[in-house]
Amino acid sequence: MRIVLLGAPGSGKGTQGEKLAAHYGIPKISTGDALRAAVAAGTDLGKKAKAAMDAGKLVANEIVIGIVEERLEQPDAKPGFILDGFPRNTAQAQVLDKLLAGHGQHPIDKAVHLAVDDEEIIHRLHDRAVKEGRHDDQPDVIRHRIEVYNEETHPLLDYYEGQGKLVTLKGVGTVEEIFQGILKIVA
Ligand code: AMP
């Protein structure tokens, strides 16, 4: 199973991605997690990414594409994977399709869109700021991340709709309800 999770920051991609990965026995690949780890470790890549992340902007395509390409080559990702936070724009989606084809891997099966309205997103991200203390969950950065999502990532819904792969469900309810909804819709 090769799934791309789409949805605004705070829509539940990380939580549902974990559950899907455990369910299918495949890795969850999160560019956000990989970037935060690189920042924490103080690597060159982390240093390059930090300013964009702190400002709620997208990190340069070549950086995130490099991360994903390397990760997809690992043996555990061969049977399938759950992508959380990548692709985030159409250029990344096109490169992903080419990478999979180039490595003789199956294409993406489904793009799962967790639809949550802006008001609920703002509320959840404020909550997460308090609980997890993420640098980019501050009010002005949150606003910017939602704008970036609407401008750059939202068009991906059309991209995957055009490929007949888009499934949308409301990302509201309990974690378990949403998870069962996803399993049903991707089956
Ligand atoms: P996330 O944890 O997915 O919300 O990602 C946190 C931050 O990492 C984002 O606000 C971006 O600055 C950066 N980031 C994560 N994934 C990508 C991506 N695919 N393209 C560009 N920037 C990304």
Side-chain angles (χ1 to χ4, degrees), residues 22-179:
H23 179 83
Y24 290 112
I26 53 180
K28 182 190 84 152
I29 301 174
S30 159
T31 41
D33 285 350
L35 289 166
R36 278 185 290 279
V39 170
T43 64
D44 283 351
L45 190 150
K47 283 177 194 145
K48 280 188 199 147
K50 189 176 186 317
M53 293 175 76
D54 284 349
K57 293 182 180 156
L58 293 189
V59 170
N61 282 346
E62 59 267 25
I63 292 182
V64 287
I65 288 166
I67 291 173
V68 170
E69 182 167 21
E70 207 173 286
R71 188 63 188 86
L72 290 179
E73 281 168 7
Q74 303 296 310
D76 65 332
K78 297 289 176 200
F81 49 79
I82 309 292
L83 275 172
D84 159 19
F86 183 95
R88 259 205 173 63
N89 58 33
T90 308
Q92 292 178 13
Q94 287 166 340
V95 170
L96 174 63
D97 286 347
K98 281 196 198 125
L99 278 180
L100 293 174
H103 288 90
Q105 290 200 28
H106 289 285
I108 296 298
D109 294 299
K110 296 277 181 215
V112 177
H113 172 216
L114 296 174
V116 180
D117 62 37
D118 281 2
E119 221 171 287
E120 171 70 13
I121 287 294
I122 291 169
H123 176 75
R124 287 188 193 178
L125 293 180
H126 282 300
D127 252 21
R128 190 164 75 181
V130 176
K131 286 191 194 125
E132 294 177 21
R134 263 177 63 161
H135 288 310
D136 56 354
D137 282 342
Q138 306 307 318
D140 50 335
V141 182
I142 288 174
R143 223 174 308 115
H144 190 62
R145 288 167 68 212
I146 293 172
E147 276 167 24
V148 168
Y149 174 77
N150 287 331
E151 281 167 27
E152 302 197 43
T153 310
H154 199 263
L156 281 182
L157 302 184
D158 288 339
Y159 182 86
Y160 287 109
E161 174 88 306
Q163 293 189 348
K165 294 175 180 171
L166 182 70
V167 291
T168 295
L169 82 165
K170 270 194 189 293
V172 286
T174 67
V175 167
E176 195 54 34
E177 278 165 2
I178 298 168
F179 178 57

